[in-house]
């Protein structure tokens, strides 16, 4: 009966050893998965940082474009004002030319 107990203990010890080995393999796989997840998180964090930098650059570019658009709008307004002034000056010159032509025609007719 003592031999039987030793054999049982030996079997149980062997099973416990196999269970510990299996648990060791499971822990190893879980550690590998955990390492992989940590690496993925680092990669995602790096990507997120890059996206934030790119978003900041894009925002600055949009602000610069908005500033340029406003400046172009102001220049366009000034050009339109200048065009109106030029059109008025052309009208006045045309009127003056017409008046001078009329005066010269009257003088020519008077002389003739």
């Amino acid at each position: 009966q003592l031999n039987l107990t030793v054999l049982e203990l030996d079997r149980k010890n062997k099973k416990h050893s196999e269970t510990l080995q299996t648990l060791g393999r499971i822990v190893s796989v879980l550690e590998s998965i955990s390492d992989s997840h940590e690496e993925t998180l680092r990669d995602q964090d790096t990507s997120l940082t890059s996206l934030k930098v790119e978003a900041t650059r894009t925002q600055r570019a949009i602000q610069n474009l908005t500033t340029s658009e406003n400046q172009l709008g102001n220049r366009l307004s000034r050009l339109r004002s200048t065009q109106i002034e030029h059109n008025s000056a052309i009208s006045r010159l045309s009127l003056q030319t017409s008046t001078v032509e009329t005066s010269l025609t009257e003088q020519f007719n008077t002389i003739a």
Side-chain angles (χ1 to χ4, degrees), residues 17 23 30 32 34 45 54-56 60 74 81-82 89 93 108:
S17 179
L23 288 173
L30 289 174
S32 175
S34 177
D45 190 46
E54 197 57 38
T56 301
R60 276 194 217 120
N74 292 339
S81 295
T82 302
L93 284 173
F108 180 75

Side-chain angles (χ1 to χ4, degrees), residues 8 12 15 17 22-23 29-30 34 37-38 42 50 55 58 62 72 75 79 86-87 92 95 105 109:
E8 275 184 44
K12 287 181 181 182
K15 280 188 178 184
S17 179
T22 302
L23 288 173
V29 167
L30 289 174
S34 177
H37 285 176
E38 286 178 15
R42 280 193 300 273
S50 296
T58 302
I62 289 171
L72 286 172
R75 288 179 187 164
L79 284 172
H86 286 176
N87 287 343
R92 287 192 303 273
L95 183 62
T105 301
N109 287 339

Side-chain angles (χ1 to χ4, degrees), residues 67-77:
T67 300
S68 296
E69 184 181 16
N70 291 339
Q71 290 172 345
L72 286 172
N74 292 339
R75 288 179 187 164
L76 183 61
S77 290

Side-chain angles (χ1 to χ4, degrees), residues 43-61:
D43 290 346
Q44 287 176 347
D45 190 46
T46 301
S47 295
L48 183 60
T49 301
S50 296
L51 284 173
K52 286 179 181 176
V53 168
E54 197 57 38
T56 301
R57 286 184 187 146
T58 302
Q59 192 174 19
R60 276 194 217 120

